[in-house]
Amino acid sequence: MAVIDTFGLPNTKGRRPLIVAQIVDALGTGLFLPFAVVYFHAAKGIPLTTVGLMLSTGALLSLPAGPLGGRLIDRIGPRRVLVSANLIRVLTFTAYVFTDTPWQLVVLVTATMWGDSLFRPSVFALVAQVADDGHRARWYAMDRSLRNAGIGAGGLIGSTFVGWGGTSGYTAVVVLNAVSFLLAAGLVATWRR
C-alpha cells in the first residue's frame, strides 16, 4: 500500500505549486486574521465602534461576490479567478498601509472581502479540475487541513511581530500578508499541468 493511501493523501505529482500556494495563502491570512479589528484600531487610530461598522459594511457589500464568483469561474476558469482574487487582496492590503480614513478603508475592506469571496469557490473548482479520479475528497480534506494549519501558524508568527514591533509590527503583518497573496497568485498563475 502506497504512503498516500495509508495517510489518505491525494496524488500531488505535478501539482506541488498549488499546494505551496495554498500554504502561503493560509499563512498570510493567519498573519492578519486575528489582528484585523486591532490593526485598524491600534495602527490607524480608528475607534472600535467605527472599525466594527467598517467591517460589517464591507461584509454586507461583498455578499454578491459569492454568487457572481460562480458565474465568473464558469466563464473564465477557476485559475484566473483565483489569481485575480489574490491580486485584489494584494492591492487592498498594500493600500491599508497608506490609508487611515474610515470611508476609504470601508472601500478597501469591501474589495478585500470580494477577493475573499471569489477565492474560496475558485479553490474548490480548481481542486475539482486537478484531482485524480476518486481523490477529490482527499484534495478537499488536504486543502482544509493545510488551511487550518497555515492560519494557525500565521497567527503565531503575526503575534510575534505584533508583540515585538507594536504599531510597526501591525504594519509588517499587513505587508507580509500582501506579499503572501502575491506569491500565491504567482505560483498558481505559472503552474502548468
Side-chain angles (χ1 to χ4, degrees):
M1 182 175 258
V3 172
I4 63 171
D5 290 328
T6 303
F7 291 107
L9 297 172
N11 178 12
T12 60
K13 186 176 181 182
R15 301 170 189 112
R16 287 191 180 93
L18 297 179
I19 296 166
V20 173
Q22 288 175 316
I23 294 168
V24 168
D25 183 277
L27 277 170
T29 299
L31 280 169
F32 183 74
L33 194 60
F35 305 106
V37 172
V38 183
Y39 168 74
F40 292 118
H41 177 66
K44 299 296 181 180
I46 299 171
L48 286 174
T49 53
T50 305
V51 172
L53 183 62
M54 285 169 28
L55 295 175
S56 298
T57 302
L60 183 65
L61 294 174
S62 69
L63 286 176
L68 292 175
R71 298 180 104 184
L72 198 56
I73 289 166
D74 289 342
R75 185 162 289 151
I76 67 171
R79 181 165 49 176
R80 287 182 180 159
V81 174
L82 184 108
V83 170
S84 299
N86 274 335
L87 292 177
I88 287 169
R89 297 184 298 174
V90 168
L91 294 174
T92 58
F93 275 89
T94 302
Y96 284 160
V97 175
F98 303 104
T99 306
D100 58 4
T101 307
W103 75 265
Q104 293 171 338
L105 288 169
V106 167
V107 172
L108 292 174
V109 165
T110 302
T112 300
M113 291 184 176
W114 270 76
D116 290 342
S117 296
L118 293 173
F119 174 78
R120 290 313 299 163
S122 60
V123 167
F124 294 141
L126 187 61
V127 165
Q129 283 185 353
V130 303
D132 294 335
D133 291 337
H135 281 219
R136 190 176 295 176
R138 292 178 180 200
W139 271 94
Y140 288 134
M142 184 181 70
D143 170 68
R144 187 55 60 232
S145 297
L146 290 175
R147 187 128 190 100
N148 289 339
I151 287 173
L156 289 173
I157 295 167
S159 65
T160 303
F161 279 106
V162 170
W164 286 345
T167 303
S168 48
Y170 286 113
T171 303
V173 162
V174 171
V175 169
L176 287 172
N177 194 16
V179 169
S180 76
F181 291 141
L182 184 61
L183 284 171
L187 285 165
V188 173
T190 58
W191 171 74
R192 296 290 174 256
R193 288 189 185 197

